[in-house]
Amino acid sequence: MRRTKPLRIALSALLVAGVSAGFAPVPAGAAAPADEKAPASGAMLAAMQRDFGLTKSQAEARLSAEKKATAVEGKARRVAGSSYGGAWFTPESGRLTVAVTDPNKAAAVRSTGAEAELVKYSAKQLDATKERIDALKAPKGVASWHVDPASNRIVIETLAGRQGDNDVRHFLAQAREAGPVIVEKTAHAPRTLAAGTVGGDPYYTGNVRCSIGFSVNGGFVTAGHCSGAGASVNGWDGSYIGNFQGSSFPDNDYAWVNVGSGWWTVPVVLGWGTVPDQLVRGSAEAPIGASICRSGSTSHWHCGNVLAKNETVNYSQGAVHEMTKTNVCAEPGDSGGSFISGDQAQGVTSGGWGDCSGGGETWYQPINEILNRYGLTLTTA
């Protein structure tokens, strides 16, 4: 049913920018302390019960464990120092594991509440290896690559049936010279998730429909592949919202749009009637293994897990770096939409494979990188 514009905006996480009493901005890149008391919403619990097959009490326990892990990760990283090798959350145990290269640091890491695992390579070494691989020209038979702290390697995904291609073999040989890698197969090539214009959806630019990510000071953030700087943006009702003020794609996949002409920002992610709309309270980064949910204008609200961070995704348009991978499904038109963990903003939808009927994977560009890049502040409740 079509709602009037004022009501749609008031309820929507999609429509952004403006001021409202009680909404306070967070400085760019800042994150609300993860140990602050914030009850899980019924919407988040319901979505986790649906998508993970959990009971309400199990969902509550997992969110509590993830919130603790998010707080512990920063402390453990500080005490590990240069020995830090990455971290990941294990849902079955509800524990955060932190990799260290120095056995003398293990006790200090455990004192923070995390598990400690001895590894060969530090996070700094793995990141340097990935940077060397990023500098290579990836062929179409290579889907993506990322730092995997659990295996202490760079995981490179190649398309099934393409491993024997000369250009793929050459890329992998160069990657192995760069540092420690593991090669895995995937049946799916990554693609962006923009869509042609259809009626009744959040925003349009040219003949493309995409989804709004998060409200920031003066506008909203979204995906860079949706349009370039200067492009005009119209809302779900066809009225003018603003223009792309900055946009980067490929290499990155982020953008921000200024908001005016009767539109304003609210610290909300739209639940699309599947769950109630979600308040945004900060941008503390969830660890690998944590639960995460996505809101988009095509497939609406779905949840899954964080699978990997700092992944380079090789789209047909070019490689995009420092992405986070999830097993949350998405479909064309969901590009730019919100990824949120608990009440913490995580990033904007970039692309993926599959759909919400058969499943799939998606990548998002982390929110704090976007805020820092453009000097924006996240609008929070």
Side-chain angles (χ1 to χ4, degrees), residues 234-315:
N234 293 327
W236 67 273
D237 63 351
S239 65
Y240 173 74
I241 295 178
N243 296 81
F244 276 77
Q245 299 299 300
S247 180
S248 178
F249 179 80
D251 187 28
N252 305 293
D253 194 5
Y254 50 61
W256 82 280
V257 176
N258 71 315
V259 169
S261 302
W263 299 81
W264 64 88
T265 57
V266 290
V268 177
V269 172
L270 190 65
W272 290 100
T274 301
V275 298
D277 297 347
Q278 301 292 293
L279 289 176
V280 177
R281 300 186 186 277
S283 58
E285 185 178 343
I288 293 171
S291 63
I292 193 166
C293 297
R294 182 194 54 73
S295 180
S297 62
T298 299
S299 58
H300 299 169
W301 183 270
H302 291 274
C303 299
N305 298 311
V306 176
L307 300 181
K309 296 183 180 182
N310 192 19
E311 179 149 300
T312 298
V313 181
N314 193 32
Y315 293 127

Side-chain angles (χ1 to χ4, degrees), residues 110-194:
R110 294 188 185 101
S111 72
T112 67
E115 302 286 350
E117 183 170 310
L118 190 63
V119 295
K120 183 176 181 179
Y121 303 103
S122 69
K124 185 176 181 180
Q125 290 173 306
L126 292 175
D127 287 343
T129 295
K130 183 177 176 294
E131 286 180 7
R132 289 190 286 271
I133 297 174
D134 283 346
L136 303 176
K137 183 174 176 57
K140 299 305 179 186
V142 176
S144 65
W145 55 96
H146 68 269
V147 174
D148 179 33
S151 67
N152 200 225
R153 297 288 189 274
I154 308 300
V155 175
I156 301 176
E157 289 195 336
T158 59
L159 297 179
R162 301 290 297 274
Q163 294 84 0
D165 292 359
N166 287 336
D167 53 355
V168 172
R169 292 167 62 186
H170 180 63
F171 177 85
L172 294 177
Q174 291 181 301
R176 291 186 176 101
E177 291 178 0
V181 303
I182 295 174
V183 180
E184 297 181 351
K185 298 178 184 178
T186 178
H188 308 280
R191 60 188 175 92
T192 56
L193 296 168

